Amino acid sequence: MLFNSFEFLIFLPIVFIIYWLFQEKRIIQNIIILISSYIFYGWWDYRFLALIVFSTIIDYLIGLRIVETKSEFQKKILLFTSIVCNLGLLMFFKYYNFFIDSWVDLLNSIGYSTENIWTLKIILPVGISFYTFQTMSYTIDIYRNNLKPTRNFISFASFVSFFPQLVAGPIERATNFLPQILNKRIYNKDQILQGLRLILWGLFKKVVIADSMGFVVGEIFGDFENQGGGTLWLGAIYFAFQIYCDFSGYSDIAIGTAKLFGFELMSNFKFPYFSRNVGEFWRRWHISLSTWFRDYLFIPLGGSKNTKLISIRNIFIIFIVSGLWHGANWTFIVWGAFHAVLFLPSFIGKSNRKFIDIVALNKKIPTFKEVFFILRTFVLVTIGWVFFRSETLTEAFTYVWHMSNPTYFTISPNIKLFFYMVLLIILEWNMRYDERNPLKFKQKPLRIIVFMLIITLIILNFGSNPQQFIYFDF
């Protein structure tokens, strides 16, 4: 079930009303959450519900067993079992064909001609990359004594399958979300209004901007060899806006929907295209994933506490694994490595944490220097998106090479898309202090105009070009 579908417009109010009818019955509310989450997920393919249930049972039992056992060795075996089960599911459904194909290609490249008979017709279960990471973090936190396991299976299953963030995050931590599941929720009008504003803002980014950009991006990337350099730059910029509005739009709707039920999910985006260097960009882009890798991979590897050489190795591991997480394709691996290269100068020069606060703090407009830094970061990130969007490495490198072709536009710039991009930049610039409170302008006339404009654009675009969220494929 898509957030931008008529089915969800019917599904959400029904669940909301039934849920708050049992305001004093936390256990019944959790059962409602669990059932509605399984309906939401099963809408795509009910057969894959078995994977979520399997992952839920495994980590629920292992979490309890880790606390009960006294042997450190047995605790490690239990943790290892949880990781193998979760990563095993992920590796089989997401990466099996990729590794087989890569192995066959390697043999062929060195002269051992062989026919590939081992690849399978595997359908990638929606959201598997998200909920496996979420359940793994639960077990790891228990092993580290950062969290006590819950004996309430319904509550734990609700935590794993919570439908607003089940298929594309944010990847929640049990330390933040499980206590909310276990405690009573209070009907809070302000929280609900805040959630509705987030849903509206997320729908605008997805339905109006991302879906409108998607068709033009497909047209340019699908015929890039016959396009001029200007058009290819335009296609890359369009995709930069498409993927941002697609994914951050989903996150806004997810966080907003969770608020309707009295929950607070972690922020996933904090205006990343206003970043002044790549280090700042990664503190503002897909925060739940980057902090997951930081806490469960980068720091255990030694982080930046060892020698400079080992720290650089760790940075490359993190970025490459992060790239591979996005998809079973060499393009994602190169995309990750590309960002590692972009990040290194600021890490070596110790300026990666130079920009902590939002740009132009307490000012209405940025300085020329800040504008230069923002544009420089955006251009570098946009070049990286070419690898992310391309089907093969050959296509990606050819696309980037052709971007240097000094020809004019072979496809006329789309005025409507330019208007959407400018509107997004203006609105986000004014909202940049608080990503959880969009569209909260002090001046009432301005607020009314913006709301009317956004609602009108959503209505005009809703259902005309519906596209699946890009991160559903990850």
Side-chain angles (χ1 to χ4, degrees):
M1 194 182 300
L2 298 173
F3 283 160
N4 55 332
S5 67
F6 288 106
E7 292 92 338
F8 187 73
L9 290 181
I10 298 171
F11 171 83
L12 182 60
I14 293 174
V15 177
F16 176 81
I17 292 170
I18 296 174
Y19 177 85
W20 285 115
L21 283 177
F22 297 94
Q23 188 173 177
E24 302 299 324
K25 309 281 186 184
R26 179 181 56 81
I27 296 174
I28 296 178
Q29 282 186 325
N30 287 348
I31 293 173
I32 293 169
I33 288 173
L34 183 60
I35 293 173
S36 56
S37 296
Y38 283 172
I39 292 173
F40 180 84
Y41 189 81
W43 208 263
W44 279 283
D45 194 326
Y46 65 90
R47 293 169 299 177
F48 291 131
L49 280 170
L51 296 177
I52 295 182
V53 174
F54 173 76
S55 186
T56 302
I57 293 174
I58 287 291
D59 285 287
Y60 171 75
L61 295 175
I62 288 179
L64 291 174
R65 190 72 185 121
I66 286 177
V67 172
E68 292 168 355
T69 187
K70 302 296 181 186
S71 166
E72 193 61 34
F73 177 74
Q74 288 183 4
K75 287 184 178 184
K76 287 182 179 177
I77 293 294
L78 289 166
L79 176 64
F80 180 74
T81 304
S82 167
I83 292 174
V84 167
C85 287
N86 283 295
L87 289 185
L89 285 178
L90 195 59
M91 295 295 284
F92 177 75
F93 284 98
K94 189 169 182 176
Y95 300 107
Y96 175 82
N97 283 347
F98 169 69
F99 286 121
I100 292 294
D101 286 337
S102 298
W103 176 248
V104 170
D105 290 344
L106 177 64
L107 291 178
N108 288 334
S109 68
I110 59 177
Y112 292 96
S113 180
T114 182
E115 185 180 353
N116 182 6
I117 60 173
W118 294 101
T119 52
L120 303 173
K121 292 182 179 178
I122 302 173
I123 301 172
L124 180 66
V126 173
I128 191 171
S129 303
F130 293 89
Y131 66 76
T132 51
F133 271 44
Q134 190 156 306
T135 54
M136 268 196 299
S137 67
Y138 170 78
T139 314
I140 296 170
D141 282 342
I142 291 173
Y143 175 79
R144 292 175 172 175
N145 291 321
N146 293 332
L147 177 73
K148 291 183 178 179
T150 176
R151 294 189 176 278
N152 188 322
F153 180 76
I154 297 295
S155 297
F156 179 70
S158 301
F159 154 71
V160 175
S161 63
F162 187 53
F163 74 89
Q165 46 85 238
L166 172 61
V167 295
I171 303 170
E172 267 299 333
R173 307 293 182 83
T175 49
N176 172 54
F177 193 44
L178 195 53
Q180 298 184 59
I181 295 273
L182 293 170
N183 291 315
K184 180 183 175 182
R185 275 80 68 179
I186 298 173
Y187 186 90
N188 184 321
K189 183 182 173 184
D190 291 338
Q191 188 183 33
I192 290 173
L193 287 176
Q194 197 180 67
L196 289 174
R197 283 203 308 274
L198 273 164
I199 293 172
L200 186 68
W201 182 236
L203 281 174
F204 169 75
K205 286 195 281 188
K206 169 58 180 170
V207 175
V208 178
I209 299 181
D211 287 355
S212 299
M213 298 276 179
F215 284 95
V216 183
V217 169
E219 186 180 351
I220 294 174
F221 273 78
D223 188 34
F224 70 92
E225 289 177 314
N226 296 314
Q227 307 297 339
T231 300
L232 296 182
W233 271 104
L234 199 60
I237 292 171
Y238 281 162
F239 182 66
F241 276 82
Q242 182 199 356
I243 194 165
Y244 169 64
C245 289
D246 191 287
F247 193 24
S248 70
Y250 178 93
S251 295
D252 288 341
I253 298 170
I255 295 168
T257 304
K259 283 178 178 289
L260 299 186
F261 297 94
F263 297 104
E264 293 290 339
L265 302 181
M266 67 182 297
S267 295
N268 217 15
F269 290 86
K270 293 184 178 180
F271 313 105
Y273 288 156
F274 295 146
S275 301
R276 287 150 288 183
N277 64 22
V278 173
E280 185 183 12
F281 174 82
W282 279 106
R283 286 192 297 276
R284 298 182 178 279
W285 179 276
H286 203 173
I287 299 165
S288 64
L289 179 68
S290 56
T291 54
W292 197 100
F293 278 124
R294 180 198 64 196
D295 294 342
Y296 299 110
L297 186 58
F298 184 67
I299 292 177
L301 284 172
S304 56
K305 302 294 183 184
N306 291 304
T307 64
K308 192 70 85 179
L309 199 59
I310 292 178
S311 299
I312 291 172
R313 180 206 65 179
N314 294 343
I315 288 169
F316 267 92
I317 289 174
I318 289 298
F319 276 105
I320 289 173
V321 171
S322 174
L324 187 60
W325 177 91
H326 284 81
N329 194 324
W330 286 101
T331 55
F332 293 113
I333 295 174
V334 171
W335 172 75
F338 177 74
H339 272 273
V341 172
L342 295 182
F343 181 77
L344 274 187
S346 60
F347 174 75
I348 294 172
K350 298 182 179 179
S351 61
N352 55 311
R353 299 192 65 82
K354 180 180 179 182
F355 304 113
I356 302 298
D357 292 324
I358 190 67
V359 64
L361 186 66
N362 300 324
K363 293 186 292 185
K364 289 190 175 181
I365 58 173
T367 64
F368 285 112
K369 187 177 180 181
E370 288 170 333
V371 171
F372 170 74
F373 285 163
I374 291 172
L375 289 177
R376 180 185 63 181
T377 306
F378 180 76
V379 168
L380 293 172
V381 169
T382 298
I383 293 172
W385 288 133
V386 174
F387 291 90
F388 195 95
R389 176 60 175 78
S390 298
E391 299 289 333
T392 66
L393 278 181
T394 302
E395 286 184 13
F397 281 112
T398 308
Y399 190 108
V400 172
W401 175 253
H402 285 189
M403 286 168 77
S404 62
N405 188 347
T407 55
Y408 295 108
F409 296 105
T410 44
I411 292 179
S412 300
N414 189 310
I415 300 300
K416 183 178 74 173
L417 297 186
F418 266 98
F419 169 72
Y420 289 161
M421 287 192 292
V422 171
L423 181 62
L424 177 79
I425 293 170
I426 292 174
L427 291 177
E428 290 222 327
W429 181 261
N430 286 283
M431 301 187 301
R432 70 189 187 281
Y433 292 103
D434 189 357
E435 75 284 355
R436 300 181 79 85
N437 272 300
L439 306 171
K440 194 177 180 181
F441 299 103
K442 292 180 180 177
Q443 301 88 347
K444 189 174 180 181
L446 174 63
R447 192 164 64 242
I448 293 173
I449 291 171
V450 170
F451 267 89
M452 289 181 64
L453 176 62
I454 286 177
I455 291 172
T456 303
L457 288 173
I458 291 174
I459 292 172
L460 290 175
N461 286 275
F462 196 88
S464 58
N465 301 310
Q467 295 186 37
Q468 180 171 290
F469 287 88
I470 294 173
Y471 267 66
F472 281 14
D473 293 331
F474 303 149

